[in-house]
Structures are given as structure tokens and as C-alpha cells.
Amino acid sequence: MIYLLHPLTLVTFFPLVGVLVLLFLRPEQKNAARWVALVATLVTFGISLAVLAQFNPSNPDLQLVVDVPWIPVAGWEIHYFLGVDGLSILLLLLTTLLAPISIFSTWTAVEERVKDFMIFFLLLEIGMVGVFLAQDLFLFYVFWEFTLIPMYFLIGIWGGSRRMYAAVKFFLYTMAGSILMLLAILWLGIHQGSFQMPTLLALGGIPGNLQIWLFLAFAAAFAIKVPMWPLHSWLPDAHVEAPTAGSVILAGVLLKMGTYGFLRFNLPLFPYAAVKLAPWMAALAVIGILYGAAVSYAQKDVKKLVAYSSVSHLGFVMLGLFALNSQGIQGGILQMVNHGLSTGALFLIVGMIYERRHTRDIDAFGGLWKIMPIYGVLTLIVALSSMGLPGLNGFVGEFTILLGAWGAGQPDGSYGTYWFAALAAIGVILAAVYILLMFQKLFLGPVTKDENRSLKDLNWREIVTLVPLIILIFWIGLYPKPFFMLMGPTVDNLVKAIQAASVAMIP
Amino acid sequence: MVLAGLSVLGGLLNFPSLKTFGIWLEHTLKNNLHEGEFVLLIAVISTILALLAIFLGWWLYNPRRYESFWAMPAAKRQDDPLRVYIGPVFEVLKNKYWVDELYWTVILNPYISLSRFLADVVDWRFWHDWFHDKVLAGGYDLLTRLLAVQIDLGIIDGIANGLGTLAQRSAGSLRRVQTGYVRNYALFIFLGVVIILGYLILAGNPLK
């Protein structure tokens, strides 16, 4: 039973302790519920730091592995199999960091059914952490689908005016893709005789044309989650209708589950297909970058603007991953973290002004800089980080991705054309256009609406919510080396494995 | 004033013998670029030109004219003295070569129209409302209604109900056979026997 106290089991299931405590509270004990959830997520974050302390960055393989047979099925076994490596350690930390921050942001925003909200939120954290740690395909699928349930309720109960529509659409849309992935998982289990990632990778040898089909089945689930253009239609609804904490988690973590899925499963399991389809994935990624940026620019609702900007930013991540070289993949992973920090912070910021004015109409504001100076400064930092200003985190990620995409543009690279990198670079400019427009319309110029004159600046709780994100925004922007070090060896190994497998493979 | 100070500093950066600027970004370029040489003629000509420009500027807009210009009411202020000398060129300069207008027509306005078109028409009305809500959700709705109302209620229930109705109707008509009179039953038994025997005789006895 030692695996019950294994650090990865603890970090995954500790929020369950919070859920158990919450069950004993009465519904009207709102503050107690908040504190229980906050403490539970903070302890989970602490455990994830302990995991980081035990993590050896120079080891490219899975670490802190816990692997026990779980469901014995004739012939092949399903394992309870958790492990962490350079691909997932940063996403684990991002998830456990964003959870307490989101809880903290609900302190006054969520007043209805606080206890239920916190229970769903803690359950959601279990699912998210499990997704990033699971190394058995079946276990992964269980966690993957499990995240849908609490999110469905978070949007459906605490969401905006069209919450039921958004919640059902979110659920059905993401579920539809997952079913195809389940079929591919079953194929692997039946034909390869195992669900465990290391065993599957050691076996290899899936014929080329089958790889393409399996790749596409997995991609159906992940591409919807990312979301890749043109599968993004669920996103503006879910993001806009979700409560602030839900939007933060949606953008910060759930979208990363899609890009992480490509990285963890599609690239190493189907290397031939990955190389073969890389230009197609890059084309969709670049369309997403430009399309997302252009559509963001025309939005009248601030939250919708931020939602569409995710389509653009996640396009960068996909472009980096399918460069299939070290810079591209490392940049992609770092940009996942960056997007979680910047867009998470942007959703918090939108939530703060919504709580005061109960509107998100971009034209309802103007001149806020004079009324809410602290809010203005923090927003400016986050906005500049989101558009990739040098010295802040977004620049490091996007720059590394563009380097990778450019490298992949060489004749022997996975793209074989420089066009993807060149067009994506235009996306950086278009990001600046919509971000600066948003900032200008909200903060600059004279105060045109009288309702805005009496707005209060941020209180200490709101500042505390944003400050950890802003520290990380500067840290990654100025000294990203520790972050690259954590993922470097694993990524290098992955790149080598893809090259070796795709060269050896004849369709 | 600040800008002036900074531009002096910027000039000093590349002063002959310092040459800081020439090598600052050198390492970013692979080929070794040789730095520009200090040519006396170019330096003298550019210095003379700069001094000439300063003198011209002072001559046209000297402090005396400047004060008298602002002392007048707005309507009576005299025209810019430069216009007299260069005429139409002045218009071009005054409008900054129409760079702003060019920028708006060539880049900004098309981009704004494009992004509105993509956001409102393509992404929202076509992709979100029409394709997802109408075609996918509405189509599925239609299909389920077709299955539920036409197929399930119409055909499948129709068959089941039809069987029930058939049973009822046939029962209704067969009921009349059961009259309760023994002579009727005897008649039918007799008729049956006649038919069976007739069949056996006419078809040749199969029991043999």
C-alpha cells in the first residue's frame, strides 16, 4: 500500500481531502468552504513543489514512477501508473499554482452555493493533475474524461446568462473527439497488448498507414481541446459564459491538456505520422494564429477578445511542437506555461472589472488608468506579456517557437518551407494590435462614462491574486534558463526518438 | 530638449576613434562586415549642411517673428514664411507626405474590415450560428425528430398498434362464430370432416 503515500499519488488526490472536509460543512458556512478549498489547493501546490525538489532535471526518463496493476483484463492489464518527466513537470506546477489563485479570485465573486462550487473545483484539479501524470492510456482517458464533469457543472451552475447552452456545447463537443481517441486506445491495447506508455514505446513498429489513422483519432480529441482552427467554436461560448475561476482554469490548464496530449502521445507513439502530417498541422496552426488574432481585434466583449486570443496563442504552441526539433518543442512547452500565466491573468483582470461594472462591453470603459492606477499597471504588464514584449515571458516562448519553426523550414526539417515561420511572425504583430487596442480602449483617453468615475482600485486580495503570476511573467522573461533546464533532456530524447523512428519507418 | 540631448549622445556613440556602434551587433551577423571608414569629405559636407539648415531655420522663424506671430489674433496671423519660397512642396511637407492617409487606406482600413468580416460573418454567423447551431445541432434535432416521430411513432409503433388493431378486429368478427349453439358447432365439424375427407380422396390417399 506504499503507493498511496507516493508523492505523485498525493499530489493528484490531495484535493480529495478538501472535498471530504467540505462534505461536513453546512451550505451557509461560505467562508469556511472557501478556506478549506484554498488550503487544500495550497497544500497540493506545496506537494508539487516537493515533487519538483525530488525531480532530477538531467534525467530524461519518467521519474517518481508509481506502477501497480489496477484492472486485470484477459491478456493485457490496465495499470495505475503515474510518472513525471520533462514534458509534464512544468504543466503540473502550472496546474497546482493556478488552482489556489483561481480559488482566491472567487472570494467575493462566487456567493451562491459556495460549498458546491469548491467541491467541483477540487474534483476538477484531481482530473487535471491526473491527466498530466498518467502514463497508462486507459488511466489517462479516465482522468481526461473526468475533467469534463466538474467543468460542466462549473459553467452550467455559476456561468453567465447562456450558461446551459455553453456547458452542453462544451461537454458534447469535447466528448465527440474523445470517443475517437478511445477507439484508438482500444486498438493499441488489443494489437500491442499493453496500455502502458513505456511498453508501447519500446514495442513500436506500428505500420505507417495505420499510424496515420491512429494519429488522427488521437488528434481529434486533442485538436478540439487545444482548440485548433477550425474546431474552436465551443471556446468563445465556454470561456465567455464560465465564471472567472472557470475561465482561468479553462484557458490556463484545460487547453494545455490538448497540446500536451499531442506532445505526450501523438509525437512518440506515431512518429512516422507526426513527420508526415507536420506540414498540415503547421498550416492549421498558422491559420489559427492569424485568424484568431484578426477575430480578436473585432470583438466588442473583452472576455471574448481574450478567448479568441487563445486560438492565436495556442496556434503558436502547435507550430512549435510540430517543428519536431528541440527549439520548437521546448518553446512550445514554455509557451503553454506562458499562456497559462498571461491568459489566466487576463481572465482574472476581466473578472475584476466585471465584478465592479457588470459589463464587459469594451466601449463601456475608457480612461480607467486615472481611476484605477494599480489595476492599470498590473493590466499593462500582463497585456505586454501576452503580446510578447521582450523582457517578459511571452517573448521568450514565441521567439523560441519561431526559431524552431524556422529550423523546421530547412529542406531536411519537418516543414520544408520557411513560410510557416514567416507568417507566424506576422501573428506576433497582430497580437500587439488587438492587445494594445484593448488596453487603449479600457485605460487611455478621457473618462467618458460617469459610472466609471466611482470605481474602486484593486483591494489587497485582488493584488495578491495577480502578483504571483506577474512575478513568474518577469522571471520567465528575464531568466528562463531554469525552465528550459527542466524540460531539455526529455525533449532532446523525444526529438532523437522521432527522427530515428521516422527514418527507420517505411510506409 | 531631451531628444536633442539623446541625439548628441547617439552621435557620440559612433565618433571616430570610439566606433562603438559599428561593432555592437557584429556578432549577430555571421560574415565579418568591415566597418565604415571615416571620410573627411563626407564629414565636412554633412556638417556644413547641418549648420546651413540651422541658420535657415533661425532666419525663417527667428524669435522676433515668433513673438509677433503669437501676439496676433488667430485670424490675422500671417502665413508660414516657408510657403512663399517652396510653394507646392510646402503642401506635401505639411501633410507629412500623406503617409498617415496612405497607412490608413492601405493597411488599417482593410485590416479592420477583414477582421470584422472574419469575426462577425465567418466566425460567428457562418461557423458558430449557421454551421454548429443550425446544421449540426439543428440537423441532429431534425434527425432525432424524424426518428422519434416519423420512424418510431409512425412506423414502429404503427406496426405494433396495427397488430393490436388487427387482433381486435379479427376477434370482433371471429366472435360471431362462437354462437353457443351445439348444432352450429356440429355443422362446422361436419363440414370440416367433409373437406378433409374430400381432400384425401381427391389427392390420392397420402397415408398409404
Side-chain angles (χ1 to χ4, degrees):
Chain A
M1 295 307 268
I2 189 69
Y3 55 84
L4 279 181
L5 291 174
H6 189 279
L8 293 189
T9 304
L10 277 180
V11 79
T12 309
F13 289 102
F14 190 82
L16 208 55
V17 177
V19 173
L20 286 177
V21 175
L22 281 168
L23 289 177
F24 287 95
L25 292 179
R26 276 175 283 115
E28 60 270 21
Q29 290 174 299
K30 291 180 183 176
N31 265 326
R34 290 173 183 134
W35 277 107
V36 168
L38 183 65
V39 170
T41 48
L42 278 175
V43 172
T44 311
F45 180 56
I47 302 172
S48 73
L49 289 181
V51 169
L52 177 66
Q54 292 183 45
F55 182 79
N56 174 11
S58 53
N59 178 359
D61 299 322
L62 285 176
Q63 301 180 38
L64 302 168
V65 167
V66 52
D67 184 6
V68 249
W70 175 29
I71 306 174
V73 196
W76 17 271
E77 272 183 332
I78 292 161
H79 285 209
Y80 173 75
F81 185 2
L82 302 178
V84 65
D85 64 5
L87 307 184
S88 50
I89 181 80
L90 283 174
L91 293 168
L92 167 70
L93 292 165
L94 177 73
T95 308
T96 54
L97 171 73
L98 284 179
I101 288 179
S102 304
I103 298 270
F104 211 46
S105 80
T106 67
W107 220 257
T108 52
V110 174
E111 279 293 336
E112 304 278 312
R113 305 172 70 176
V114 179
K115 175 184 152 184
D116 305 355
F117 183 95
M118 297 303 168
I119 289 178
F120 283 126
F121 197 94
L122 293 176
L123 290 176
L124 180 61
E125 189 179 8
I126 296 174
M128 296 187 300
V129 173
V131 161
F132 291 129
L133 296 182
Q135 303 298 333
D136 178 292
L137 285 173
F138 191 90
L139 183 68
F140 169 79
Y141 187 79
V142 170
F143 281 126
W144 172 272
E145 289 293 72
F146 180 74
T147 57
L148 287 184
I149 300 160
M151 200 65 211
Y152 171 81
F153 285 107
L154 287 179
I155 298 175
I157 298 178
W158 292 272
S161 50
R162 301 181 74 212
R163 53 183 176 267
M164 277 319 292
Y165 169 83
V168 171
K169 189 168 178 180
F170 164 76
F171 198 100
L172 287 179
Y173 216 109
T174 41
M175 184 103 186
S178 310
I179 294 301
L180 292 172
M181 174 169 73
L182 181 63
L183 289 177
I185 290 177
L186 287 176
W187 189 94
L188 283 172
I190 292 165
H191 288 265
Q192 304 289 81
S194 173
F195 288 114
Q196 287 83 58
M197 278 302 287
T199 322
L200 287 170
L201 291 179
L203 275 170
I206 304 169
N209 54 341
L210 265 170
Q211 279 198 24
I212 303 265
W213 287 107
L214 292 167
F215 180 100
L216 290 175
F218 272 82
F222 299 144
I224 287 173
K225 205 72 151 197
V226 170
M228 291 189 79
W229 184 88
L231 302 169
H232 61 277
S233 186
W234 64 271
L235 176 131
D237 291 310
H239 271 69
V240 170
E241 297 305 325
T244 297
S247 303
V248 173
I249 290 297
L250 253 180
V253 183
L254 293 197
L255 304 190
K256 308 304 158 348
M257 286 167 36
T259 45
Y260 169 81
F262 276 110
L263 178 64
R264 167 71 68 194
F265 301 108
N266 280 45
L267 297 192
L269 281 175
F270 320 118
Y272 170 80
V275 173
K276 201 88 180 162
L277 296 173
W280 296 96
M281 302 302 287
L284 290 180
V286 169
I287 294 175
I289 292 172
L290 299 175
Y291 181 92
V295 171
S296 294
Y297 180 76
Q299 296 306 321
K300 297 268 170 256
D301 179 323
V302 189
K303 208 172 179 184
K304 219 164 166 184
L305 189 155
V306 179
Y308 274 109
S309 79
S310 292
V311 178
S312 187
H313 283 134
L314 272 290
F316 272 103
V317 176
M318 293 304 297
L319 184 71
L321 295 186
F322 278 90
L324 301 180
N325 54 30
S326 260
Q327 294 98 323
I329 296 179
Q330 292 201 23
I333 297 175
L334 191 71
Q335 193 62 7
M336 290 185 212
V337 177
N338 289 339
H339 178 262
L341 300 171
S342 310
T343 307
L346 278 177
F347 274 120
L348 290 172
I349 280 166
V350 174
M352 287 166 186
I353 197 70
Y354 183 76
E355 227 184 304
R356 286 168 169 73
R357 280 283 269 108
H358 296 285
T359 177
R360 293 184 301 255
D361 188 358
I362 211 163
D363 292 323
F365 301 101
L368 292 181
W369 185 266
K370 300 180 195 80
I371 304 162
M372 306 169 70
I374 302 175
Y375 183 62
V377 170
L378 295 180
T379 308
L380 183 61
I381 296 171
V382 173
L384 294 176
S385 136
S386 180
M387 61 177 252
L389 186 86
L392 300 177
N393 60 348
F395 176 75
V396 182
E398 283 177 359
F399 187 76
T400 324
I401 287 171
L402 289 176
L403 269 182
W406 189 261
Q410 283 159 2
D412 59 337
S414 65
Y415 296 161
T417 167
Y418 295 109
W419 276 106
F420 294 131
L423 289 170
I426 295 176
V428 180
I429 304 168
L430 297 184
V433 174
Y434 67 75
I435 288 273
L436 290 180
L437 176 93
M438 178 193 88
F439 190 80
Q440 178 202 339
K441 287 215 168 174
L442 256 54
F443 288 94
L444 305 183
V447 185
T448 47
K449 302 276 188 299
D450 282 333
E451 303 93 303
N452 293 331
R453 280 183 209 287
S454 54
L455 290 180
K456 285 204 172 57
D457 207 344
L458 301 191
N459 57 35
W460 67 270
R461 186 185 54 76
E462 290 168 320
I463 296 173
V464 170
T465 319
L466 283 174
V467 160
L469 298 175
I470 287 182
I471 292 174
L472 281 165
I473 282 172
F474 276 108
W475 184 3
I476 298 179
L478 297 172
Y479 190 62
K481 199 177 161 198
F483 298 87
F484 283 124
M485 265 171 55
L486 283 173
M487 57 175 115
T490 315
V491 171
D492 288 343
N493 257 22
L494 174 64
V495 170
K496 270 184 226 142
I498 294 171
Q499 277 165 356
S502 67
V503 167
M505 179 73 64
I506 302 148
Chain B
M1 274 313 276
V2 176
L3 288 181
L6 283 176
S7 60
V8 167
L9 188 73
L12 274 178
L13 274 180
N14 213 23
F15 201 72
S17 82
L18 281 176
K19 292 174 188 161
T20 341
F21 216 53
I23 54 167
W24 182 45
L25 292 170
E26 197 176 48
H27 64 278
T28 59
L29 299 164
K30 279 172 191 163
N31 310 339
N32 276 330
L33 300 172
H34 60 91
E35 54 195 63
E37 284 163 39
F38 179 72
V39 182
L40 191 70
L41 188 66
I42 295 175
V44 170
I45 291 176
S46 55
T47 311
I48 289 175
L49 277 175
L51 289 174
L52 202 67
I54 293 173
F55 171 74
L56 273 174
W58 185 82
W59 180 66
L60 278 170
Y61 304 103
N62 59 49
R64 202 157 35 79
R65 276 199 187 182
Y66 182 83
E67 271 163 32
S68 66
F69 176 81
W70 286 108
M72 301 280 260
K76 285 188 182 172
R77 280 175 199 165
Q78 65 186 113
D79 197 18
D80 193 299
L82 193 58
R83 193 194 290 275
V84 185
Y85 299 101
I86 57 174
V89 181
F90 182 80
E91 273 310 305
V92 177
L93 294 178
K94 194 183 166 208
N95 289 299
K96 292 162 277 178
Y97 303 99
W98 290 281
V99 164
D100 282 351
E101 283 78 0
L102 187 78
Y103 182 60
W104 269 97
T105 12
V106 176
I107 297 178
L108 276 181
N109 281 333
Y111 180 65
I112 292 171
S113 321
L114 174 74
S115 79
R116 290 211 177 123
F117 175 74
L118 284 178
D120 298 340
V121 180
V122 176
D123 199 78
W124 205 253
R125 273 193 266 156
F126 168 69
W127 195 237
H128 183 275
D129 285 352
W130 186 76
F131 185 74
H132 283 89
D133 283 1
K134 268 243 168 68
V135 177
L136 282 186
Y140 186 70
D141 213 40
L142 213 68
L143 179 72
T144 54
R145 238 175 267 167
L146 185 78
L147 286 176
V149 179
Q150 307 290 332
I151 310 276
D152 198 64
L153 283 182
I155 299 179
I156 302 198
D157 277 21
I159 291 173
N161 290 340
L163 284 175
T165 321
L166 190 72
Q168 273 184 350
R169 288 216 185 127
S170 52
S173 38
L174 283 174
R175 196 163 52 111
R176 292 188 213 135
V177 178
Q178 274 189 322
T179 53
Y181 297 116
V182 176
R183 58 177 184 269
N184 275 6
Y185 297 156
L187 178 65
F188 278 112
I189 291 169
F190 175 70
L191 282 175
V193 169
V194 168
I195 288 168
I196 291 168
L197 280 177
Y199 172 77
L200 287 177
I201 291 160
L202 288 176
N205 189 357
L207 297 176
K208 230 180 217 173

